C-alpha cells in the first residue's frame, strides 16, 4: 500500500465518492497510520476554505443583455400549410372540403353572433354547434416571410356569413397583431381554436389586437351582425408589429 | 448538482421559439456558468463575456443538443471550452486584473469571504489549466467525478488523479499565503 493510495482514498472520501470496500480500506489505513489524520484535516480545511470563498454575483442587467442577444430558432412553416391549394386550382375544392372537415371535427369555439365585442371572458368557450358554419370556403391568404415573423394568415367564409381568420405564425419575439375590421361589416366573434396560445390585448368595434409569441396556430371568428349586409365584400386589414416597429401591413378580402 | 427534470421541456419550448422558456434557462444557468468562467479566467469582465458567448452558442446549436446527456453537462462543456479559449486568446489574464484585486472597496471594507475569495482566486490562477478546471468543477460547480468526466470528456480515473494533484498544489499555495491552516 502506498501513501498515494491513502491520499486517493482521503480525496474520494472528501468528495463522497468512496465505495463500501474503499471505506473499509480507508478505516484500516487510518487506524494503522495516525499521520493520515493530519492529511485528512488538511483536505477538509482546504474544502472549507473553498466553500467560504464568495460567489460572484451576475452583474446588473446581465440577464437582459443575454436575453436580448440570443435569437431562438424559428420554424418557418408547418407541413400542412395552404399555399399548394392556390398553386393548383383543381385542388381548391378538396382544400375547401378539408377545411370544412377540420371545422366540423375540430370543436371550434365562438360566441353567439350578438355577443358584446370586447368582453374577453365571454369571447372564449362557446362551442359552435351550428354545423352550417362548417361549409368554409378559402377566400384569401397572406404569406409572411420576414426575419422576425413567418407563417401565413388565411381568410375563409362560411355559408352563414361567418368568416374565419386562421393564423399560423412563428416568431422569435412577441408580435402584436392589429386586425382592422373598420368598414368590413364584421365583428369579433371569438376564437375558433388556439385561444390559449395567443393573448388578447384589446378589442373594440373597429380593431382587435392580439399578441403572438413563438409558434402559434389559432383561429379568429368574425361575424356579420344581423343588421349588416352579410353578403357584401369584406376587407380586413392586418398589421404586424414587434419591438415598437411595424413589420408588415396587409389586407385580406372576401367577396 | 442541478436537479433539472424540466430542462428538456424548456429546451423543447425554446426550439419552437418560446422566449419565456429561454429566460428560465438563462436565469437557471447564468450564475453557475459565470462563476465557473470567473474561477477559470480570474477576471470578471472576461467571465461575463465567456458567459455571454456560452449562451449564444448553446442556443445557436440547440438542435444539436443530444438529450441523452444532461443539459448542464453540455452547457458546462461549452463554458469550459469557451473560458479556456479566452484564456489562450489573452494570456495576460494570468494575472488578476486590478479591478478584481481591489474592487470598489478597500481591503478593510471587503468582507472576509470576498478577501478569501480573492486569495483563493490568486492561488487558483497559479495552477495549470487542467488542474484549475477540475477543481472549479468539483468545488465551485459541485460536479461529481462522473459529471466532470462527461463535461471534460475524460475517464473518471483521470478526473480523480487530477483532482488529487490539484488539491495538493492548491493547498501548498494557500498554506504559503497563510490562508489555509495546514
Amino acid at each position: 500500500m502506498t501513501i498515494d493510495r491513502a491520499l486517493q482514498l482521503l480525496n474520494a472520501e472528501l468528495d463522497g465518492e468512496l465505495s463500501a470496500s474503499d471505506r473499509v480500506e480507508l478505516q484500516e489505513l487510518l487506524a494503522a497510520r495516525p499521520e493520515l489524520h493530519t492529511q485528512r484535516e488538511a483536505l477538509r480545511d482546504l474544502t472549507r476554505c473553498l466553500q467560504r470563498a464568495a460567489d460572484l454575483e451576475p452583474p446588473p442587467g446581465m440577464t437582459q443583455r443575454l436575453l436580448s442577444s440570443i435569437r431562438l430558432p424559428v420554424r418557418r412553416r408547418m407541413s400542412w400549410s395552404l399555399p399548394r391549394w392556390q398553386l393548383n386550382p383543381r385542388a381548391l375544392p378538396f382544400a375547401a372540403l378539408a377545411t370544412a372537415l377540420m371545422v366540423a371535427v375540430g370543436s371550434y369555439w365562438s360566441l353567439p353572433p350578438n355577443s358584446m365585442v370586447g368582453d374577453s371572458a365571454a369571447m372564449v368557450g362557446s362551442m359552435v354547434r351550428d354545423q352550417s358554419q362548417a361549409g368554409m370556403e378559402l377566400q384569401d391568404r397572406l404569406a409572411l416571410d420576414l426575419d422576425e415573423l413567418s407563417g401565413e394568415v388565411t381568410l375563409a367564409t362560411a355559408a352563414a356569413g361567418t368568416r374565419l381568420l386562421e393564423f399560423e405564425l412563428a416568431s422569435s419575439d412577441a408580435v402584436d397583431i392589429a386586425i382592422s375590421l373598420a368598414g368590413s361589416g364584421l365583428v369579433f366573434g371569438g376564437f375558433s381554436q388556439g385561444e390559449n396560445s395567443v393573448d388578447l390585448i384589446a378589442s373594440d368595434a373597429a380593431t382587435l389586437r392580439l399578441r403572438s409569441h413563438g409558434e402559434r396556430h389559432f383561429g379568429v371568428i368574425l361575424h356579420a351582425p344581423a343588421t349588416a349586409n352579410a353578403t357584401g365584400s369584406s376587407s380586413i386589414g392586418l398589421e404586424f408589429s414587434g419591438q415598437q416597429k411595424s413589420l408588415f401591413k396587409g389586407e385580406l378580402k372576401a367577396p | 448538482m442541478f436537479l433539472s427534470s424540466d430542462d428538456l421541456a424548456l429546451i423543447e419550448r425554446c426550439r419552437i421559439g418560446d422566449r419565456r422558456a429561454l429566460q428560465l434557462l438563462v436565469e437557471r444557468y447564468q450564475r453557475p456558468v459565470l462563476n465557473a468562467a470567473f474561477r477559470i479566467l480570474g477576471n470578471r469582465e472576461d467571465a461575463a463575456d465567456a458567459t455571454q458567448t456560452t449562451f449564444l452558442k448553446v442556443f445557436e446549436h440547440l438542435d444539436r443538443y443530444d438529450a441523452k446527456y444532461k443539459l448542464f453537462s453540455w452547457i458546462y462543456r461549452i463554458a469550459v471550452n469557451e473560458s479556456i479559449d479566452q484564456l489562450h486568446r489573452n494570456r495576460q489574464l494570468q494575472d488578476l486584473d486590478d479591478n478584481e484585486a481591489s474592487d470598489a472597496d478597500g481591503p478593510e471594507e471587503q468582507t472576509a469571504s470576498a478577501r478569501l475569495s480573492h486569495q483563493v482566486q490568486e492561488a487558483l490562477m497559479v495552477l495549470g489549466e487542467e488542474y484549475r478546471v477540475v477543481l472549479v468543477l468539483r468545488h465551485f460547480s459541485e460536479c461529481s467525478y462522473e459529471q466532470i468526466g462527461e463535461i471534460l470528456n475524460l475517464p473518471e480515473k483521470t478526473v480523480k488523479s487530477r483532482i488529487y494533484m490539484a488539491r495538493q498544489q492548491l493547498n501548498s499555495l494557500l498554506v504559503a499565503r497563510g490562508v489555509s491552516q495546514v
Side-chain angles (χ1 to χ4, degrees), chain A residues 16-225:
Chain A
E17 304 256 3
L18 269 187
S19 67
S21 60
D22 285 345
R23 189 172 302 281
V24 172
E25 187 182 352
L26 179 59
Q27 283 168 353
E28 288 170 358
L29 280 168
L30 285 166
R33 305 171 64 105
E35 73 274 15
L36 288 178
H37 288 277
T38 309
Q39 298 284 351
R40 193 188 207 183
E41 271 313 301
L43 284 171
R44 288 177 175 174
D45 189 54
L46 176 68
T47 299
R48 282 192 290 269
C49 181
L50 294 174
Q51 282 171 343
R52 288 201 308 270
D55 238 14
L56 192 64
E57 288 293 332
M62 184 181 192
T63 306
Q64 284 313 311
R65 279 198 298 279
L66 281 173
L67 290 173
S68 62
S69 65
I70 296 169
R71 285 181 69 89
L72 288 177
V74 173
R75 284 184 192 166
R76 283 290 171 182
R77 180 156 292 179
M78 293 177 183
S79 58
W80 56 276
S81 58
L82 302 174
R84 290 187 214 96
W85 298 5
Q86 293 199 332
L87 291 175
N88 182 358
R90 285 188 298 179
L92 207 53
F94 297 104
L97 180 61
T99 304
L101 284 171
M102 284 171 60
V103 172
V105 302
S107 297
Y108 280 109
W109 300 80
S110 91
L111 278 180
N114 60 351
S115 294
M116 186 175 70
V117 173
D119 183 353
S120 60
M123 282 170 188
V124 190
S126 304
M127 182 176 285
V128 172
R129 291 189 171 82
D130 182 359
Q131 293 303 317
S132 65
Q133 289 189 2
M136 306 297 284
E137 186 176 354
L138 181 68
Q139 296 295 345
D140 203 357
R141 64 176 278 272
L142 275 176
L144 301 159
D145 194 9
L146 311 169
D147 285 344
E148 301 90 344
L149 173 68
S150 63
E152 68 181 3
V153 188
T154 57
L155 176 64
T157 57
T162 300
R163 280 23 174 210
L164 174 66
L165 259 182
E166 195 163 7
F167 292 80
E168 192 183 306
L169 304 174
S171 65
S172 52
D173 293 303
V175 171
D176 286 350
I177 308 160
I179 305 170
S180 174
L181 303 175
S184 69
L186 299 168
V187 294
F188 179 41
F191 289 102
S192 65
Q193 60 179 339
E195 66 272 15
N196 294 326
S197 68
V198 66
D199 296 325
L200 176 65
I201 306 300
S203 75
D204 56 34
T207 309
L208 175 66
R209 295 184 189 281
L210 306 172
R211 181 164 293 157
S212 174
H213 195 179
E215 191 169 305
R216 297 289 182 257
H217 181 202
F218 57 95
V220 174
I221 290 176
L222 304 171
H223 284 302

Side-chain angles (χ1 to χ4, degrees), chain B residues 64-103:
Chain B
R64 294 187 203 169
Y65 169 61
D66 186 344
K68 74 180 177 189
Y69 298 105
K70 292 183 181 69
L71 179 64
F72 80 81
S73 296
W74 187 56
I75 293 177
Y76 265 70
R77 180 181 287 199
I78 295 172
V80 167
N81 287 338
E82 186 54 37
S83 300
I84 289 174
D85 285 351
Q86 191 146 340
L87 206 55
H88 291 174
R89 283 195 297 269
N90 194 358
R91 283 289 182 184
Q92 68 190 23
L93 294 177
Q94 291 290 342
D95 299 323
L96 280 176
D97 70 355
D98 291 338
N99 288 340
E100 184 51 35
S102 60
D103 249 322

Side-chain angles (χ1 to χ4, degrees), chain A residues 11 15 45 56 63 67 172, chain B residues 19 30 35 138 145 167:
Chain A
N11 274 274
D15 293 325
D45 189 54
L56 192 64
T63 306
L67 290 173
S172 52
Chain B
R19 295 192 70 83
Q30 69 168 351
N35 274 279
R138 177 67 202 106
Y145 292 168
R167 278 187 180 135

